[in-house]
Amino acid sequence: MIELRNVSKWFGDFQVLNDCSTKVAKGEVVVVCGPSGSGKSTLIKCVNGLEPFQKGSIEVDGTSVGAKDTNLPELRSHIGMVFQNFELFPHIKVIGNITLAQLKVLQRDEKQAGEKAHALLERVGLLDQADKYPAQLSGGQQQRVAIARALAMDPIAMLFDEPTSALDPEMINEVLDVMVELANDGMTMMVVTHEMGFARKVADRVIFMDEGRIEEDCTKDDFFGTPRGARAQVFLSKILQH
Amino acid sequence: MLGNFDWKVVTDNIPFLWQGMQITLLLTVIAILGGIFLGTLLALSRLSGFKPLSFVAGTYVNFFRSMPLILVIFWFYFLVPLLLGRPVGGFYSVLIAFVLFEAAYYCEIIRAGIQSVREGQVHSGQALGFTYAQNMRYIVLPQAFRNMIPILLTQAIILFQDTSLVYVVGVKDFLVSADLIANRENRVLEMFTIAAAVYFVLCLSGSLFIKRLQRNYVQ
Ligand SMILES: Nc1ncnc2c1ncn2[C@@H]1O[C@H](COP(=O)(O)OP(=O)(O)OP(=O)(O)O)[C@@H](O)[C@H]1O
Ligand SMILES: [Mg+2]
């Protein structure tokens, strides 16, 4: 479904991604972790072309992301993305946040889009918040709306960039629960997160990044059992402490 | 001393002054709307990755921002009839001058407004599959303009005052009407006092309104 081959990226002289290769098969859940600044966000943003990359190739569902003639907006409309800071549109009500792209990108009619939005809001437990503005919602609620907004496009895969790290601790689980459910429903997911509980529960594979490199790329059991690199071990012992 | 003022000359001429004020307001409103429209196009051009376009827009903006407004008014007063090959009247020539001149200032305001929208918002729109134009139209510009409301209104007040410069080409705006009456009736002091009072009251209320808006906005 998603395939990265030898992807390298520079910001000026600084190399953020160094020869990264990995695959995410259909229905697979891959967790990406690693220290701050290791390039996780950059890597995941390359997958839907939000960040350009200079070397290597990325294919999503058979389409090359980096190719000049690729219609990126069209490709992105099939890939859901959830951000650390939710990034709901503050000037539009919750319901509008979920219908806007359905109407303008997928050309659904008002009725279809509205029904879809309501069904998804119900699924994330926020049906009663439809007519509020994002700022009136808690962080956890906003992130669940953001997930509903992405799902409304019927994506073939979902990308998450630290979806719970901007949340107060008591709100983390309400978002993780939605994500676990999604994983169990067979969604293809690439998730940057440090929530190892989530990784243990639903991940098929875990990728560990450090200084722009994919240092570990292994099954969940291998990763939590016997990580091969010393850096991954140090990293794991740090985040598993709390 | 104010006791010697002949207020009758003012009250008698209210309809005439109101006609002038209508010209002033019309000029202000059209210059704002036209300036914002053209300014938005200029801002998008300046921000575009297409170098020739941003260069042309940048040159335009820097040119008009380096010109005294009064010169631009004069210039268009003589230039527009030449270009069109027929007289167009002072009003239309100053209208064009104001729109083109204001657009340069609005461009810079709008450019800053667009840049004030966080990158995350842009990414989030892109990730949903919006094209560049859709992202601007539905996500970026609405937020940019909301952030810009106070400064756009401040610019509108400055523009309202600046329209009095049409005096130099004799367009009958509020100030010119007051001046005409002043000379005709030989009541210079009364007319200029009342003109000053009107500008003062309108602009001050405008400023107070903006202050209140900003206070409510911050909360
Ligand atoms: N636009 C940019 N220009 C220059 N450098 C950048 C830019 N964006 C990110 N970087 C740098 O690239 C590196 C990787 O950033 P990235 O955001 O991908 O890391 P991350 O692993 O997601 O970190 P975090 O856990 O803090 O989110 C960092 O050193 C960062 O400073
Ligand atoms: Mg990050």
Side-chain angles (χ1 to χ4, degrees):
Chain A
M1 172 72 69
I2 300 172
E3 182 165 6
L4 290 81
R5 281 191 221 100
N6 311 101
V7 174
S8 292
K9 174 178 173 68
W10 287 262
F11 282 118
D13 289 339
F14 175 67
Q15 185 161 13
V16 227
L17 297 178
N18 192 341
D19 205 27
C20 296
S21 301
T22 191
K23 266 189 196 178
V24 183
K26 191 169 185 324
E28 218 177 6
V29 176
V30 173
V31 161
V32 181
C33 61
S36 181
S38 56
K40 307 177 298 289
S41 299
T42 309
L43 184 78
I44 206 165
K45 281 178 186 158
C46 283
V47 172
N48 65 352
L50 288 183
E51 291 281 1
F53 50 92
Q54 285 84 33
K55 269 174 102 175
S57 69
I58 300 179
E59 268 189 22
V60 178
D61 199 28
T63 308
S64 166
V65 177
K68 275 209 176 66
D69 57 350
T70 298
N71 183 344
L72 274 180
E74 135 80 18
L75 178 65
R76 289 179 188 133
S77 70
H78 306 300
I79 310 172
M81 185 155 196
V82 174
F83 300 84
Q84 182 170 359
N85 295 311
F86 331 132
E87 304 299 350
L88 293 179
F89 307 130
H91 57 300
I92 306 174
K93 286 180 180 167
V94 164
I95 183 78
N97 263 275
I98 307 180
T99 53
L100 187 63
Q102 294 188 66
L103 297 170
K104 305 298 174 189
V105 177
L106 301 182
Q107 318 291 342
R108 289 186 181 146
D109 61 36
E110 292 271 357
K111 188 164 165 289
Q112 268 180 312
E115 280 169 4
K116 182 101 195 166
H118 282 111
L120 283 164
L121 278 175
E122 185 158 24
R123 178 163 167 195
V124 300
L126 293 170
L127 198 49
D128 50 342
Q129 311 290 328
D131 289 320
K132 289 193 178 164
Y133 282 93
Q136 296 170 284
L137 270 54
S138 73
Q141 291 174 323
Q142 288 190 47
Q143 194 61 300
R144 283 185 281 155
V145 172
I147 294 173
R149 178 177 69 175
L151 291 177
M153 306 296 283
D154 293 320
I156 53 171
M158 288 279 288
L159 309 174
F160 293 82
D161 187 6
E162 304 208 36
T164 56
S165 59
L167 295 175
D168 294 335
E170 72 271 17
M171 293 174 186
I172 291 179
N173 278 330
E174 65 189 60
V175 172
L176 288 180
D177 287 347
V178 172
M179 292 170 59
V180 167
E181 197 182 303
L182 204 56
N184 290 337
D185 285 351
M187 176 61 79
T188 308
M189 294 162 72
M190 195 166 167
V191 185
V192 176
T193 186
H194 290 163
E195 294 295 332
M196 289 302 134
F198 172 80
R200 278 183 202 276
K201 210 182 273 176
V202 295
D204 296 295
R205 286 199 349 267
V206 179
I207 290 175
F208 174 74
M209 287 190 73
D210 194 33
E211 295 180 352
R213 264 179 213 284
I214 294 184
E215 293 287 349
E216 307 277 346
D217 185 349
C218 50
T219 66
K220 166 177 64 178
D221 295 336
D222 280 352
F223 187 77
F224 291 113
T226 50
R228 283 149 290 179
R231 281 189 174 270
Q233 222 143 13
V234 172
F235 174 77
L236 257 185
S237 67
K238 266 191 199 149
I239 58 172
L240 288 182
Q241 266 166 17
H242 31 253
Chain B
M1 182 202 137
L2 280 175
N4 297 334
F5 264 43
D6 174 13
W7 292 114
K8 201 164 168 307
V9 68
V10 176
T11 46
D12 281 353
N13 285 294
I14 283 179
F16 190 72
L17 286 172
W18 172 234
Q19 266 181 10
M21 182 51 83
Q22 282 177 314
I23 296 288
T24 296
L25 291 175
L26 189 65
L27 199 54
T28 307
V29 169
I30 296 180
I32 290 172
L33 296 180
I36 288 180
F37 178 74
L38 193 56
T40 305
L41 296 182
L42 283 168
L44 292 175
S45 307
R46 281 205 85 168
L47 290 171
S48 102
F50 185 55
K51 284 274 149 49
L53 193 61
S54 61
F55 176 78
V56 170
T59 310
Y60 176 98
V61 169
N62 287 327
F63 176 78
F64 275 100
R65 299 218 314 167
S66 316
M67 288 288 144
L69 175 53
I70 200 160
L71 189 63
V72 177
I73 292 172
F74 261 133
W75 210 51
F76 276 92
Y77 185 68
F78 295 113
L79 185 76
V80 172
L82 276 184
L83 282 180
L84 294 180
R86 62 187 173 87
V88 290
F91 181 73
Y92 289 102
S93 83
V94 295
L95 199 59
I96 294 170
F98 268 102
V99 168
L100 295 183
F101 184 83
E102 287 301 315
Y105 285 85
Y106 279 119
C107 167
E108 292 307 272
I109 294 174
I110 294 164
R111 187 163 71 120
I114 290 174
Q115 285 172 327
S116 76
V117 178
R118 283 181 305 114
E119 196 189 23
Q121 285 287 305
V122 179
H123 277 166
S124 140
Q126 286 177 329
L128 283 166
F130 288 125
T131 61
Y132 173 82
Q134 287 176 323
N135 219 14
M136 275 294 162
R137 159 94 175 68
Y138 299 114
I139 310 303
V140 179
L141 287 178
Q143 293 185 62
F145 274 100
R146 227 168 51 156
N147 296 346
M148 287 185 293
I149 288 172
I151 184 156
L152 285 176
L153 290 175
T154 305
Q155 181 69 17
I157 292 178
I158 299 172
L159 173 58
F160 174 71
Q161 296 165 357
D162 282 352
T163 56
S164 60
L165 286 175
V166 299
Y167 185 90
V168 295
V169 293
V171 170
K172 261 201 242 167
D173 76 333
F174 178 68
L175 186 58
V176 168
S177 305
D179 182 48
L180 283 173
I181 301 165
N183 288 315
R184 195 177 61 209
E185 315 262 347
N186 204 11
R187 288 288 173 191
V188 174
L189 206 53
E190 282 86 346
M191 290 319 295
F192 282 157
T193 305
I194 198 72
V198 168
Y199 276 109
F200 177 74
V201 168
L202 288 178
C203 292
L204 185 69
S205 351
S207 303
L208 292 177
F209 173 72
I210 296 169
K211 276 226 180 75
R212 228 181 73 187
L213 204 71
Q214 267 171 323
R215 239 194 344 259
N216 294 341
Y217 194 72
V218 170
Q219 281 163 2

